[in-house]
Amino acid sequence: MYRIGLGYDRHRLEPLAPAGRGRPLVVAGMSLEHQRGPVSHSDGDALLHAIADAILGAIAGPDIGTLFPDDDPANEGRPSCDFVEAASSMAAERGWRLANLDAVVLLERPKLAPNRDAIRSNLLSMLGALEPESIDAICVKGKTGEGIGPVGKERLIEAHAVVLLTRR
Ligand SMILES: [Zn+2]
């Protein structure tokens, strides 16, 4: 038996505080050097938010906004690995494991490629509850906005994720 889940997230990018409201840019827990960062109540890790929602979607669970309300002071600046770990545990408790995860991050700069393997291994450990077979079960691709639109103008980071869960 299989379940597929789709997750999507976006965050506006602003100059880093104090010049703007941007938080330091993080993708799957990796800090990326950039003069702009996401505006968010949590740490603004769009890829992790999309992945958590994909897992929760696959099990028809609540979304992360319901699990971790953005008006709850306890979630202020919260590391988003908490969201992925909570979603993974919830799915694992219901008997699911991860067959594979595929994701796309839309970000003009910096390039994701140099950090791609580090991002994948971060995800492998965050998804531990779902017992992914190996790093080959996890793929993340970076795309630019080709210089146009909100992504291309460095005003937005966007992430899409698909997970396939299989019954133990
Ligand atoms: Zn988000």
Side-chain angles (χ1 to χ4, degrees), residues 1-156:
M1 192 183 179
Y2 294 97
R3 284 285 181 83
I4 193 164
L6 169 69
Y8 167 75
D9 195 42
R10 60 182 356 202
H11 283 271
R12 200 165 65 241
L13 297 175
E14 283 193 7
L16 299 183
R21 296 196 302 141
R23 292 181 179 275
L25 181 61
V26 283
V27 174
M30 287 286 302
S31 297
L32 302 181
E33 199 64 46
H34 198 37
Q35 71 277 22
R36 304 179 75 88
V39 176
S40 176
H41 187 68
S42 71
D43 67 0
D45 197 320
L47 176 58
L48 295 187
H49 297 173
I51 290 171
D53 264 347
I55 294 167
L56 293 168
I59 62 169
D63 64 17
I64 52 167
T66 310
L67 280 185
F68 299 98
D70 67 5
D71 54 4
D72 182 346
N75 297 328
E76 169 79 35
R78 189 162 186 156
S80 298
C81 59
D82 286 5
F83 306 153
V84 172
E85 285 167 2
S88 297
S89 304
M90 195 176 282
E93 279 161 19
R94 298 182 189 189
W96 296 101
R97 49 175 304 194
L98 184 73
N100 77 307
L101 157 73
D102 191 17
V104 185
V105 178
L106 289 98
L107 180 66
E108 191 68 14
R109 283 191 314 133
K111 288 260 185 272
L112 225 55
N115 291 299
R116 217 176 135 201
D117 287 338
I119 286 171
R120 289 170 70 214
S121 47
N122 277 1
L123 291 173
L124 184 67
S125 55
M126 278 175 227
L127 294 165
L130 288 170
E131 298 173 21
E133 218 160 69
S134 72
I135 192 81
D136 293 336
I138 293 165
C139 183
V140 176
K141 289 132 6 224
K143 286 272 175 198
T144 71
E146 297 277 327
I148 59 164
V151 172
K153 298 297 178 198
E154 300 182 45
R155 295 296 185 270
L156 190 71

